[in-house]
Amino acid sequence: SHITYSSCIVVAWVMHGLRTGLSPFSEGQWIGFFAAYLGLCGIQFWTRPFRLASAVFLAPMVDKAVEAIHTTLPISRKSSWALFVGGFNVVLPLLVLHSGLRLGTSFAGTPLFPPLAEQMTLEVKMLAVLGSVVGQVAAGPMGSIAGIMFLYEFKWWRIFLSLVFA
């Protein structure tokens, strides 16, 4: 589900950029983006039975993949599971999210970040990547975006308050 929700973020981001010409990180744009994202997530709820059925169908293949990791690397079966789950629930969704945002906004001609981000140093950008990874581990795709917002200093607390008290 992290991959599908990462895809929803990408689609909502590009749709919002096409509609407004602004990045969701721009001042006052978060609510419009979040509404588009929630609309797409609503569709995801209807696909849950199909995702569950596909998980049951793929379970034997997952067992084989975990066994292959276990026999290839000198690690325990439990560590093999952790490596597999970490790859599919953290690394792959981050790749989908970040490469999807880069490619989607490039092809659509919409902004990924507000103009302020161009002035950020490499160190700050690296911290944003770290925040994205920590956020993904803690809360999934939206946590990844929150990690970027926090470390890029896009006044995340104002966005949170505007969502709570809107």
Side-chain angles (χ1 to χ4, degrees):
S1 66
H2 282 20
I3 294 170
T4 55
Y5 290 117
S6 291
S7 301
C8 285
I9 290 174
V10 171
V11 172
W13 199 288
V14 172
M15 286 176 22
H16 178 76
L18 288 171
R19 188 174 55 81
T20 65
L22 299 169
S23 166
F25 283 149
S26 297
E27 191 73 35
Q29 296 303 307
W30 187 251
I31 292 175
F33 162 74
F34 197 64
Y37 172 70
L38 287 179
L40 290 170
C41 286
I43 296 168
Q44 291 294 329
F45 293 129
W46 294 101
T47 65
R48 189 162 278 172
F50 301 109
R51 292 189 327 222
L52 181 60
S54 65
V56 170
F57 175 75
L58 293 173
M61 289 175 247
V62 169
D63 282 338
K64 287 180 184 175
V66 170
E67 189 59 36
I69 293 170
H70 176 63
T71 56
T72 305
L73 300 175
I75 57 176
S76 69
R77 187 154 175 78
K78 187 184 266 188
S79 296
S80 299
W81 268 105
L83 186 62
F84 182 83
V85 169
F88 269 89
N89 281 336
V90 177
V91 176
L92 190 58
L94 279 170
L95 285 173
V96 168
L97 179 66
H98 291 279
S99 61
L101 285 173
R102 284 272 178 209
L103 292 172
T105 56
S106 293
F107 288 137
T110 60
L112 178 58
F113 294 113
L116 171 68
E118 318 298 307
Q119 302 165 5
M120 298 293 178
T121 64
L122 179 61
E123 291 81 11
V124 173
K125 289 179 181 179
M126 294 302 290
L127 282 173
V129 170
L130 177 63
S132 177
V133 172
V134 170
Q136 177 74 25
V137 171
M142 282 307 285
S144 183
I145 295 295
I148 294 171
M149 289 168 48
F150 178 74
L151 290 168
Y152 259 161
E153 299 176 344
F154 286 123
K155 298 178 179 57
W156 61 272
W157 52 271
R158 281 192 192 165
I159 293 168
F160 176 74
L161 292 175
S162 69
L163 290 173
V164 172
F165 297 110

